[in-house]
Amino acid sequence: MDQAVKDEIAVKPTLGELTAVFGRIGVLSFGGPAGQIGLMHRTLVDERRWLSEARFLHALNYCMLLPGPEAQQLATYIGWLMFGVRGGMIAGLLFVLPGLAVIIALSTAYALYQDTSWLTGLFFGLKAAVLAIVVEAVIRLSRKTLKNRLLFGIAAAAFVALFFFGLPFPLVVLLAGLVGFFAARRGGGAAKSSDAIDLPKRPKPLTAIATLVFWIAVWQLPLLLLWMFSAPEGLAVMFTFFSKMAMVTFGGAYAVLAYVAQVAVDNYGWLKPGEMLDGLALAETTPGPLVLVLSFVGFLVGFREAAGLGPVAGGVIGALLVAWATFVPSFIWIFAGAPYIERLRGNPVLSAALSAITAAVVGVILNLAIWFGLHVLFREVEQISLWPAAGLRLFWPAWTTLDPLAFLLFVVSAFLLFRMKIGMVPVLAVSAVVGLAVRLAVAG
């Protein structure tokens, strides 16, 4: 086999190794999509060398175009590359389950005691360390992908469109792909992949259709179970609502939270005003996709409306129903679409388009990194509208609210990662322990 093909998956893991590594990633996946993508890149590409930079970015490009949590979809895609559907199920589930278990536990405490003040010190140090990992990911990706002026310009334009104008992620990366496609057709500068490609077999149309139908049936299976067991009608209404939300959650959790909060409070009366913000605070202190905040909503609905089940049991069922409605579609997109997406890697013009999307993804991650960094380092960040008609806005921190401890932990974590080359897990552990100890001491 050609050496370039071997480098596509440089070190083939065993199924046990895949399970162990994604179990660890699921537990450590703090920091939203930027931190989670950076964590997977460092672990799977740089440390383990399970797949090449090109293959990682190709998968990421596709996931950025999909509705739902892109980091979980990326984990599923990578697992699928390694071991097919079995690997995709393991990687995708392990990415979500640790955070889901934590958010259910925290939601239970919240519903019973209505108090989250004890969480203020929890995971504080982790966020500062994750910020350093995100910065490292942006630097690594930019060095390896921005190979000419066109790609650099696409990355810059993507960042401006996202950070200053708030355009949707999928729209930005789709426009970048069109720029790369037409530049390649005209002989422009979008980089073409030089990797030798080991293409999968072309899926048979009937097989693809059967896969799609099967996973859609799995996705909607809870509705049948709710009907069979005569469950409270509110659970079925909630499951249907969040199934619809799963189809339109482009750009991650923040793109849909405002709408969900409005509908949950005003239309259905599921939540009281302000409870969505409490749920967001809980979700931001847990590993896994931020969209897990929707399971907090599901817990409160089940806790309050699942008569006959008991409040806590009803809450757990509600949280699980929302998680099922939200995350199962990710498996549909990957298992039905990934075989076709992989074959696109052999087309030079489409490869050039995907290279342009890769450049845009660098801008996307830079936008997420800066947004995340502002909210980690400062207690107050204001959104200033500069040109309302054009949607031009700016996130500006209140400089007097800079958190010295968060800044110090970030600098120390960056030094340990960049200069001392210390492993990611020890850095996360040290930062978490120091941050928690200091916060508890101050509170005491």
Side-chain angles (χ1 to χ4, degrees), residues 88-142:
M89 290 289 296
I90 291 172
L93 287 174
L94 288 177
F95 192 84
V96 171
L97 290 179
L100 178 60
V102 173
I103 200 69
I104 288 177
L106 296 178
S107 298
T108 303
Y110 177 87
L112 292 175
Y113 306 112
Q114 291 289 310
D115 181 20
T116 59
S117 60
W118 55 275
L119 285 172
T120 55
L122 198 60
F123 301 131
F124 166 77
L126 275 174
K127 291 186 178 182
V130 167
L131 178 58
I133 294 172
V134 171
V135 171
E136 183 188 41
V138 172
I139 294 172
R140 286 176 179 270
L141 289 176
S142 62

Side-chain angles (χ1 to χ4, degrees), residues 350-404:
L350 291 177
S351 292
L354 289 173
S355 294
I357 291 177
T358 300
V361 167
V362 174
V364 170
I365 297 177
L366 177 60
N367 164 69
L368 293 171
I370 293 179
W371 188 94
F372 180 58
L374 288 174
H375 287 80
V376 168
L377 299 179
F378 295 90
R379 298 186 184 91
E380 296 179 14
V381 180
E382 182 182 2
Q383 179 177 315
I384 302 173
S385 180
L386 301 177
W387 185 8
L392 180 61
R393 62 14 172 0
L394 177 67
F395 291 103
W396 192 257
W399 295 97
T400 55
T401 66
L402 174 67
D403 190 324

Side-chain angles (χ1 to χ4, degrees), residues 19 94 148 168 193 196 238 247 253 281 305 332 344 350 361 370 372 390 392 397 420:
T19 302
L94 288 177
N148 56 48
S193 174
M238 180 189 69
M247 304 299 293
E305 299 192 9
I332 299 175
L344 295 181
L350 291 177
V361 167
I370 293 179
F372 180 58
L392 180 61
M420 303 299 294

